[in-house]
Amino acid sequence: MKPTLLMVDEITQDAKSMLSEFVNFKYQNHTSNHSHDFSFVYTGLTPIVTNAPVFCPCTGVEHIDSPKIFHLDEEFKKFHSKNVSSTAEHTISLMLQLLKINKMQILGKKIAIVGYGRVGRLVKKMLTGFECFVKCFDKNDNWKPQLKSYDIITFHIPFEIDTKELIEKDMIHSMKDNALIINTSRSGIVDEIAIINALKTGKLLGYAHDFNPTENIDTQERIDLWRNSGVNHKVIATNHIAGNCIEAREITDKFIAEKIINYIKNEVI
């Protein structure tokens, strides 16, 4: 008898075809499920609380509460670096849009990239054609004292204990006046009240983020915070679409499908 895979989110057709021989699919868009009528769970960005193993085609999994979480690991990052191209492209797109609404051009701008992993490297590569001065920093570098020199700071770092609210009022104060911040990482790395206050005072000229309304429990509070901020004309917000493209989904879902099949066959990853 085939085990049951609870589908909280939809999976790509190729990945579903791979899995159909090994699992029965059950569809249920619940954020909390402790029932025992399934063996494991597939979710994308929808939060899930469960005692069953969860498989997810994301790198950040703070929206999942499970004793076992299988997601995009170092093996995937090593062999599928092209998969992050969509996030890098989206970063450049946000950068260009934020400049344009402020009647500015990107040519000659000084840009700091904080987080020099796969995405940060691709962002730097894509910026070469714009004749910008680009400086890259690892998250552990002493980069904050150097922010005074840059027109745009773009962040590409994971949400962890030591990066929570990394972008806060003291960091913003150390930046150049009328600079721009781009965040295609996670909302948790930002003190959003500090961003809003800096936009109100004019310290920051603009802010762009790839904000996912389902990331945190206090979703409505955060939505209301931005809605009532009075600075939305200085903000570009997208709904966690940076890495969500057809090509990327196909690669990641197939990789996760392979993990699920391997788990069924061997009970190991």
Side-chain angles (χ1 to χ4, degrees), residues 131-184:
E131 299 181 24
C132 301
F133 174 82
V134 182
K135 178 75 172 179
C136 302
F137 302 95
D138 183 77
K139 68 171 185 173
N140 297 318
D141 292 339
N142 188 25
W143 48 271
K144 291 184 181 181
Q146 303 184 52
L147 295 183
K148 198 74 174 177
S149 304
Y150 295 95
D151 305 299
I152 303 169
I153 298 98
T154 178
F155 289 86
H156 306 282
I157 56 178
F159 176 52
E160 299 169 340
I161 292 175
D162 62 337
T163 62
K164 183 178 180 181
E165 296 189 354
L166 184 72
I167 306 172
E168 38 73 49
K169 62 179 182 179
D170 290 338
M171 191 220 81
I172 296 170
H173 181 73
S174 68
M175 292 172 57
K176 179 180 181 179
D177 289 346
N178 296 317
L180 308 174
I181 289 179
I182 313 292
N183 174 23
T184 52

Side-chain angles (χ1 to χ4, degrees), residues 5 11 14-23 25 257 260-261:
L5 174 63
I11 199 167
D14 284 350
K16 185 180 289 184
S17 297
M18 291 170 60
L19 289 167
S20 59
E21 180 184 347
F22 299 92
V23 303
F25 296 103
I260 294 171
I261 293 168

Side-chain angles (χ1 to χ4, degrees), residues 6 11 44 98 117 120 134 162 212 228 235 257 259:
L6 177 66
I11 199 167
L98 203 55
V134 182
D162 62 337
N212 176 17
N228 302 322
V235 176
K259 281 184 173 289

